[in-house]
Amino acid sequence: MGSLQKTAVCLLFLSVFSSASNDSFVTFICSDVKTEYNKTATISCFGKNKITNVIVKRCENCNKQNSCLETIINTWRGNNSSEKGRIWLVLQHNVSEVHIQEVKATDQGGYQWHIYSDGGEDTGCATLEIAAPEIEPSLTWNGRKLTCLSPRGHPQRQIHWFDGHGNNLTGSASLVSEEAEGGLTSLTSTLHETPTLTASKYCCAVLYDVHTKRNKTKCLSADKAVTDYPHFTSTPDPEIPKTKKEHVPIILVPIVLVLCCFAAVLYYRHRQRAKPKGIFRPIKDPPSNSETT
């Protein structure tokens, strides 16, 4: 009888231990999210048990230790939102959602979750990726240097230079980065190589993704007319149209010339008519001897 009681106690102990073990290893699944810049992002975690409390920290990277320092949600302290309501938490039984309105470039990274539920607690991490606007760069040439401007985008993007033969000229360029709105940056790259008319083409390529090689390229061409390629050679200034007052002297000149020619013809004819009368004037006969006596 004693052995049966001991066996029953052991079975009860194992059952409790097994139940406790299952509770302590309750799992929640957190999904990665990719959204566009300035849109609303929703990061969610869900499981099979009802969620009671949540702590969410923003991380530089989910796989990087000690990078989760900023706490944005902590329901234990009644903190269900942050940044003046731009980030807020929604709990729906076994689903926990963090909504981020008007996402910025600085929102990109990892979000570490510590979830407490009726069945136990669990941790997880989800990554938020922001697709920043990919604006076409502008390329200018002032006769001494080439400048490429990428006005807005992720700080991680790069600018590369190439000539018409595919040679990489990036080493001859300098880069200036300035902060823009929403955690974006403005990049200005200057190529310190004086372009000449003998160069076929200079291209500025803004690389948005190193892995996919996604980019936008702008070129200046010197040897062919392409719509997107302004010429190195300067075009002559357009002819300024003449006013009516400026046309008057131009019209009067031929009229005066015609009148002068007409007058010259009349004068010549007059001289021609007058000349025979003077040359062939009749000569009187000298008086005879009888008349003289």
Side-chain angles (χ1 to χ4, degrees):
M1 190 71 178
S3 60
L4 291 175
Q5 290 179 348
K6 290 180 180 180
T7 302
V9 170
C10 288
L11 291 175
L12 180 62
F13 176 80
L14 290 174
S15 177
V16 173
F17 177 80
S18 177
S19 176
S21 298
N22 290 334
D23 289 342
S24 62
F25 288 104
V26 64
T27 56
F28 283 87
I29 300 174
C30 302
S31 57
D32 295 336
V33 178
K34 182 177 182 179
T35 188
E36 296 181 9
Y37 173 81
N38 212 32
K39 300 292 184 178
T40 298
T42 301
I43 310 171
S44 60
C45 292
F46 63 93
K48 62 179 182 179
N49 300 101
K50 181 181 179 180
I51 300 173
T52 56
N53 284 285
V54 174
I55 296 176
V56 182
K57 293 184 178 181
R58 184 149 44 197
C59 315
E60 180 181 342
N61 191 318
C62 281
N63 299 323
K64 186 176 181 180
Q65 294 183 353
N66 302 323
S67 66
C68 303
L69 302 176
E70 181 186 5
T71 300
I72 58 174
I73 300 293
N74 189 342
T75 58
W76 289 107
R77 297 181 179 180
N79 180 16
N80 287 15
S81 65
S82 60
E83 296 189 19
K84 298 180 179 180
R86 188 179 74 90
I87 302 175
W88 72 94
L89 174 72
V90 175
L91 289 178
Q92 297 178 345
H93 189 67
N94 63 330
V95 179
S96 175
E97 296 178 343
V98 169
H99 298 262
I100 305 176
Q101 191 175 16
E102 297 179 355
V103 294
K104 304 179 292 185
T106 51
D107 293 326
Q108 181 168 275
Y111 288 80
Q112 186 185 70
W113 297 70
H114 202 150
I115 301 175
Y116 301 85
S117 69
D118 292 340
E121 60 184 84
D122 191 22
T123 59
C125 192
T127 299
L128 174 62
E129 182 180 352
I130 309 297
E134 298 180 359
I135 303 173
E136 184 173 315
S138 61
L139 186 56
T140 57
W141 177 67
N142 64 2
R144 296 186 302 272
K145 61 182 180 179
L146 280 165
T147 302
C148 180
L149 172 64
S150 178
R152 288 189 305 160
H154 277 309
Q156 294 84 1
R157 71 192 188 284
Q158 303 173 2
I159 295 182
H160 297 271
W161 288 93
F162 301 92
D163 63 9
H165 304 288
N167 298 318
N168 196 325
L169 307 176
T170 309
S172 301
S174 61
L175 183 67
V176 176
S177 176
E178 297 179 349
E179 291 186 4
E181 60 184 13
L184 302 177
T185 59
S186 172
L187 298 181
T188 303
S189 180
T190 303
L191 180 61
H192 300 282
E193 178 173 316
T194 304
T196 62
L197 293 178
T198 58
S200 61
K201 190 189 300 181
Y202 284 89
C203 295
C204 160
V206 180
L207 185 63
Y208 296 99
D209 193 312
V210 177
H211 303 289
T212 62
K213 305 298 181 182
R214 191 174 66 254
N215 69 87
K216 286 186 179 294
T217 302
K218 194 77 172 181
C219 298
L220 281 173
S221 179
D223 59 354
K224 60 181 178 179
V226 183
T227 304
D228 293 335
Y229 299 164
H231 287 310
F232 282 146
T233 53
S234 60
T235 56
D237 294 332
E239 184 179 355
I240 301 175
K242 295 180 174 60
T243 61
K244 293 183 178 179
K245 293 183 179 179
E246 293 174 327
H247 281 293
V248 171
I250 298 175
I251 298 174
L252 289 177
V253 170
I255 295 175
V256 172
L257 290 175
V258 171
L259 291 176
C260 290
C261 292
F262 184 74
V265 171
L266 291 177
Y267 177 75
Y268 177 78
R269 289 183 177 180
H270 176 74
R271 289 292 304 273
Q272 288 294 102
R273 291 176 182 176
K275 187 175 181 180
K277 294 180 180 180
I279 296 175
F280 299 101
R281 185 182 301 121
I283 301 174
K284 294 181 178 181
D285 296 334
S288 60
N289 292 334
S290 63
E291 289 178 352
T292 57
T293 58

